[in-house]
Amino acid sequence: MSHRLLETADIPGYLRDHGHWDGSGEVAVHEVSDGNLNRVFIATGAGWSLAVKQALPWVRVAGPSWPLSPARADAEARAYRAVAAVAPETIPVVHGYDPADYVLVMEDMSDLRVLRTVLNEGGGYGGASDAIGLFVARLSFATSDFGMTSAERKALLAESVNPELCKITEDVVLSEPYLEHEHNHWHPDLADLAAAYRADAALRTEIAELRHLFMSGAQALLHGDLHTGSIIVGNRAGAEVVRVFDPEFSYVGPIGFDLGLYWGNLVAAESRARVLGAVGEHAGQLARSWAAFETEFRRLWPQRADTFFDDAYLDRFLRRVWADSLGFAGAELIRRIIGYAHLTDLDSLPDATAARHALLVGRELVLRRAELATPADVAALVDDLAGP
Ligand code: SR1
Ligand code: MG
């Protein structure tokens, strides 16, 4: 049975009927849907405001021709619960989840700004990279075989499957850009690279490995779509605020997928900044997010549930996470330039110079992820491909 789809006029009644508003005074509602999949409304009353997010039975930007189960909202609610247990300051306050109509009622964050928008306008990262490193470390450690008993982990695996959203990623991120597919599109000046990448056997094999890792590498609960459009930043009462939102792609997968998506988006922002004559912060931000992640993961390590995993294994595990992250960063860059869902960072520029740079960096990150050992190595690669 299909669920009730909310329109702007339905929101006050919905909030009253579900105990989020006592029915007194006026309520103003406006729609702020921005992401590819869902609808979001902001309801404002006297002295209060709330965000109402509903999953549609299709991909919002494509419409009913691309059906998609609204059960993705269950995955989002589950992810918020998992993060709330270990890093509540990194996510919005969730006031309630209604599984019958796939509605999340959350803290209104419209006083904050999406990190991608801030960067596109020439702003800086503030403490976003430290917060992202901490977010990934806390969530991934707590939901890994290090942070849970074997039995708890099996239960987590069983309850966290998110097949339709995973299939979207397997398709639009980790295969379609390397095939002829109607979803793909690119700037005409990049037709040479799009064709070359489709014909590149070495690249395809490496992407196949990353795709298989995404499908089978059940290391920890992920956000699953941790790009700079899933991060909101600002200042409240004189304190910096960074919040991660939109975890509807959450499932148990390889930790490097979350870090990698963030890193790919750092590179895209860097490519944009350079063509606009600004100094990008990519290198420092990648180093900061990795340091925050590694420091927190190592801090938590003595709490591991299974001490057969020794310190030498931790070193090896983190090296793998590093290399996986670089590979996924490269795949994210490539799909955002020649695949289905593009980035305003690059598409809003007058030509394809920045996109070409990011596309070239993407390929090298995928192919050379095992040999790029440090953030400085990645910074050198980004510099080298920018030309003189
Ligand atoms: C059809 S969804 C395309 C993209 O939008 C989401 O934000 C994810 O990044 C997904 O890959
Ligand atoms: Mg999203």
Side-chain angles (χ1 to χ4, degrees), residues 361-381:
V361 173
R363 179 176 183 275
E364 296 306 307
L365 288 174
V366 171
L367 293 180
R368 294 172 51 198
R369 63 192 187 281
E371 75 193 61
L372 297 165
T374 66
D377 293 343
V378 180
L381 171 72

Side-chain angles (χ1 to χ4, degrees), residues 27 68 220 272 351:
V27 182
L68 187 66
R272 174 188 173 87
D351 67 33

Side-chain angles (χ1 to χ4, degrees), residues 53-128:
K53 175 174 180 179
Q54 184 173 43
L56 302 170
W58 51 74
V59 172
R60 186 184 70 83
V61 292
S65 66
W66 189 339
L68 187 66
S69 167
R72 60 188 182 271
D74 296 342
E76 177 160 5
R78 225 168 23 229
Y80 277 136
R81 279 196 299 274
V83 182
V86 291
E89 70 283 8
T90 64
I91 52 171
V93 175
V94 177
H95 295 288
Y97 176 56
D98 165 12
D101 284 326
Y102 306 102
V103 173
L104 277 158
V105 178
M106 298 185 292
E107 169 187 1
D108 171 18
M109 301 192 294
S110 40
D111 58 318
L112 307 176
R113 302 194 69 219
V114 172
L115 179 58
R116 184 185 309 291
T117 310
V118 172
L119 298 176
N120 280 351
E121 293 173 2
Y125 287 82

